[in-house]
Amino acid sequence: MNLRDLRYLLAVAEHEHVGRAAEACGISQPTLSVQLRKLEELLGVALFERGSKKVVPTAACEALIGHVRTAVAEADAILAVARGLHDPMAGRFRLGIIPTLAPYLLPLVFGPLRDALPALELEPWEDQTTVLLKRLRAHELDAALLASEVDGPDLASQPLFAEPFLAALPPDHPLAGQAVVAEAELAPDILVLADGHCLRDQALEACGRSGALGHTLRAASLSTLLNMVAAGYGTTLLPALAAGAAQDAGIVLRPLATNAGRTVRIAWRTSFPRRLALDAVGGVIATRLRGFAAGAATGMV
Amino acid sequence: MNLRDLRYLLAVAEHEHVGRAAEACGISQPTLSVQLRKLEELLGVALFERGSKKVVPTAACEALIGHVRTAVAEADAILAVARGLHDPMAGRFRLGIIPTLAPYLLPLVFGPLRDALPALELEPWEDQTTVLLKRLRAHELDAALLASEVDGPDLASQPLFAEPFLAALPPDHPLAGQAVVAEAELAPDILVLADGHCLRDQALEACGRSGALGHTLRAASLSTLLNMVAAGYGTTLLPALAAGAAQDAGIVLRPLATNAGRTVRIAWRTSFPRRLALDAVGGVIATRLRGFAAGAATGMV
DNA sequence: CTGCCATGATAGACGGAGCCTATCAAAAAG
DNA sequence: CTTTTTGATAGGCTCCGTCTATCATGGCAG
């Protein structure tokens, strides 16, 4: 059975006239006659009683026509809804973001994203890298903002911007007097995040420490880490986007001797169909953060 | 858009596997791939994200699939209902019957009709001939039981049985002493039905009277007419099927000298598609009344 | 690391379904 | 009786859906 034939049926039932119904359907009268007859044969019931001046729906037709109307209406609804979904820039976009980035990046890009992609319903999801990748592969996220490369043929990524690290010091720390701090100088009393945060490993690597850090404290979040630094427990390497929050906490920031930092990337499934939305989101973020690396090395945002 | 493609879509969404969905649909995997792609192109949205091991419905697909399910379900409902309507012997059958026939014929044929055509929902409609023909032509009746011929190329009819007339007399009427009554003998004090009843004209014609009957009473129904005869107001010509009711009223019945009577026919639109149901109904009535004419002339039913 | 298996996409060919124009048949209208 | 209206039929054309055969890619195991 064909939806087209059902539309023909409705047209004939409405007009009670094959010729006019055919015209309404945009087909010739013979075509409609033939299709109608085929439908009757398929259903095994007479749908219309052909009189000399009128074609009148039979009782069987009356019994069926409600279902026919619903079926055709649903088909139209499919087309209408699809038309509404037509724009890949529209609809829900679930974006995973690592915890050391989300609170500092989102306030910067929410506005520009809304301006550039008003129909996109952005749903941020904050979690650590491994969780984000798992959810990304499980189709529970559409893309993710990470500070690491992704591997595997099912995922791809693209760098959006470079985020330098800054030395974060308590105001009374000996290094606070220097204009520039060498990463290795931070190593003795560096504080890092808990396991699972990519920033933890990146900070340790930047300052030349191995993974063995039995005596160091481990903060569950960057916010906590900043509080610990401000309280004089030690130093840390801070992603530049968090500079504002650190300064508010009374922490002294100093550029590093090298251009150590991390690269924020957007990652997605290679099979993800809404590449345009993906590129647009990535583009807006990259544009907003353009030139950030240069300015941020001095603590300016 | 084709219902077939919607079924394909549902199959793929269910199996999350093109090959197995194709098997379930009874088509080859390439065919399903092609059709799916065409549907996506038609709708303008990606319906599935093809991964290496799975095809996963996109958000757009999730938004559409409810409508798809409904449309397909309605299409199935059409087929199912049509299958139920498939039997022309089943379903509503609106049968018009003239008032001088209905109360006496229906009790005789209701049982046999129910036995022979259990799926037929018989809806009797009692009205005078002209009204029945109007309703028949307006498709408000499927057939009609009349005592007259029909004309016009849009209607046809077939005789079912002959119904003799009997002389109906008050018990104390002079003619009650005769074994047989000549129609003309009834003319002087004959009572007839109101205008519009075909029996009125037929009775007058049988007893040789013209239409001018200024002084005679006119009953609105055969039942009233019988009461009037029983009360001694006059005589009448009675269709044989009403003999039982007349005798219950204490009326004397006598056979006529001639075999005057009327022929009950079933009439229908020539375009009426359920000829089998029509013939079956007519056949059951004719069979039930077979040999009725011979026996009824003596007042026996 | 390399060959094998599973899976979906693509290509080319074939058959049927749907559509058209032209024509017919029946019935109503003038 | 002719004309008009209306639906049915016939023949031909085009396109769509389907098939088989083949390719491309990613996962897995030896």
Side-chain angles (χ1 to χ4, degrees):
Chain A
M1 187 170 46
N2 198 319
L3 271 170
R4 191 191 311 126
D5 297 335
L6 297 185
R7 292 182 199 277
Y8 293 168
L9 167 59
L10 290 183
V12 175
E14 182 188 350
H15 291 89
E16 298 196 341
H17 189 289
V18 176
R20 276 189 283 278
E23 188 181 5
C25 292
I27 58 174
S28 70
Q29 168 266 315
T31 299
L32 186 51
S33 284
V34 170
Q35 292 306 107
L36 208 54
R37 193 157 292 278
K38 289 174 100 162
L39 184 59
E40 286 181 321
E41 195 174 341
L42 171 72
L43 296 180
V45 294
L47 292 170
F48 294 96
E49 192 175 322
R50 277 81 160 175
S52 54
K53 268 311 213 186
K54 263 196 176 180
V55 285
V56 182
T58 62
C61 183
E62 300 286 356
L64 290 172
I65 207 160
H67 291 292
V68 175
R69 265 189 242 280
T70 309
V72 170
E74 285 300 314
D76 290 340
I78 291 168
L79 291 172
V81 172
R83 227 185 313 277
L85 264 43
H86 193 275
D87 184 7
M89 301 300 188
R92 188 174 61 160
F93 190 92
R94 295 161 301 181
L95 180 65
I97 313 177
I98 54 175
T100 53
L101 182 63
Y104 314 106
L105 176 66
L106 282 178
L108 299 181
V109 297
F110 255 139
L113 281 173
R114 190 185 306 273
D115 293 342
L117 303 165
L120 200 73
E121 300 161 26
L122 193 68
E123 284 187 11
W125 177 274
E126 187 177 320
D127 233 321
Q128 296 180 0
T129 303
T130 54
V131 179
L132 292 184
L133 291 177
K134 182 179 131 296
R135 298 189 77 91
L136 191 57
R137 287 196 162 96
H139 292 77
E140 292 164 3
L141 290 175
D142 296 314
L145 297 181
L146 310 171
S148 42
E149 302 268 0
V150 297
D151 62 346
D154 56 333
L155 294 184
S157 73
Q158 186 181 341
L160 295 182
F161 61 93
E163 186 183 22
F165 289 148
L166 301 174
L169 313 165
D172 55 354
H173 194 277
L175 294 173
Q178 304 179 199
V180 171
V181 174
E183 292 90 320
E185 294 176 302
L186 294 170
D189 56 352
I190 193 166
L191 302 174
V192 294
L193 288 169
D195 282 349
H197 287 280
C198 57
L199 180 58
R200 168 194 160 94
D201 303 323
Q202 290 163 348
L204 289 175
E205 186 195 348
C207 67
R209 295 276 299 259
S210 72
L213 283 172
H215 69 289
T216 58
L217 296 167
R218 290 164 199 174
S221 76
L222 199 50
S223 168
T224 304
L225 188 62
L226 290 177
N227 287 332
M228 290 165 66
V229 170
Y233 283 90
T235 66
T236 196
L237 274 186
L238 192 70
L241 277 174
Q247 288 173 326
D248 290 346
I251 289 174
V252 173
L253 297 176
R254 290 291 177 268
L256 295 174
T258 67
N259 56 353
R262 62 181 187 179
T263 300
V264 173
R265 320 177 65 92
I266 188 166
W268 64 90
R269 295 184 300 278
T270 48
S271 58
F272 183 61
R274 291 165 69 193
R275 275 301 299 270
L276 281 89
L278 191 65
D279 294 343
V281 168
V284 169
I285 296 177
T287 302
R288 176 65 184 85
L289 277 297
R290 182 154 298 161
F292 170 72
T298 67
M300 307 275 104
V301 176
Chain B
M1 188 169 46
N2 197 320
L3 271 172
R4 190 194 311 128
D5 298 334
L6 298 185
R7 292 183 201 277
Y8 294 167
L9 167 59
L10 290 184
V12 175
E14 182 188 350
H15 291 89
E16 297 197 340
H17 189 287
V18 176
R20 277 190 280 279
E23 189 181 4
C25 293
I27 59 174
S28 69
Q29 169 265 316
T31 299
L32 186 50
S33 283
V34 170
Q35 291 307 107
L36 208 53
R37 194 156 291 280
K38 289 176 102 160
L39 184 60
E40 285 181 321
E41 195 174 340
L42 171 72
L43 296 180
V45 293
L47 294 170
F48 294 95
E49 191 176 324
R50 277 80 159 175
S52 55
K53 271 309 210 183
K54 264 196 174 180
V55 284
V56 183
T58 63
C61 183
E62 300 287 356
L64 289 172
I65 206 159
H67 291 292
V68 175
R69 266 188 240 282
T70 309
V72 170
E74 285 301 312
D76 289 340
I78 291 168
L79 291 172
V81 172
R83 226 185 314 278
L85 263 45
H86 193 273
D87 182 7
M89 302 301 189
R92 189 173 62 162
F93 190 93
R94 295 161 301 182
L95 181 64
I97 312 180
I98 54 175
T100 54
L101 182 63
Y104 315 106
L105 176 67
L106 282 178
L108 299 181
V109 297
F110 254 140
L113 281 172
R114 189 185 304 272
D115 294 342
L117 304 165
L120 200 74
E121 300 162 25
L122 194 68
E123 283 188 11
W125 178 274
E126 187 177 319
D127 234 319
Q128 295 179 1
T129 302
T130 54
V131 178
L132 292 185
L133 290 177
K134 182 178 133 296
R135 298 188 78 92
L136 191 57
R137 286 195 163 97
H139 293 76
E140 292 165 2
L141 291 174
D142 297 313
L145 297 181
L146 310 171
S148 42
E149 303 267 2
V150 298
D151 62 345
D154 56 335
L155 295 184
S157 72
Q158 185 180 342
L160 296 182
F161 61 93
E163 185 183 23
F165 290 149
L166 299 175
L169 313 165
D172 55 353
H173 194 275
L175 294 174
Q178 303 179 201
V180 171
V181 175
E183 292 88 322
E185 293 177 302
L186 295 170
D189 54 355
I190 195 167
L191 302 173
V192 292
L193 288 169
D195 281 350
H197 287 280
C198 57
L199 180 58
R200 168 193 160 93
D201 303 324
Q202 289 163 347
L204 290 175
E205 185 194 350
C207 67
R209 295 276 301 258
S210 73
L213 282 174
H215 69 289
T216 59
L217 295 167
R218 290 164 200 175
S221 76
L222 198 51
S223 170
T224 304
L225 188 62
L226 288 177
N227 288 333
M228 291 168 66
V229 170
Y233 283 92
T235 66
T236 196
L237 272 187
L238 193 69
L241 277 174
Q247 287 174 324
D248 290 346
I251 289 174
V252 173
L253 297 176
R254 290 290 178 267
L256 295 175
T258 67
N259 56 355
R262 63 184 186 179
T263 299
V264 173
R265 320 177 64 91
I266 187 167
W268 64 90
R269 296 184 299 279
T270 48
S271 58
F272 183 62
R274 291 165 72 194
R275 275 303 298 272
L276 281 90
L278 190 65
D279 293 345
V281 168
V284 168
I285 297 176
T287 301
R288 175 66 184 84
L289 277 298
R290 182 152 299 159
F292 170 72
T298 67
M300 307 273 104
V301 176

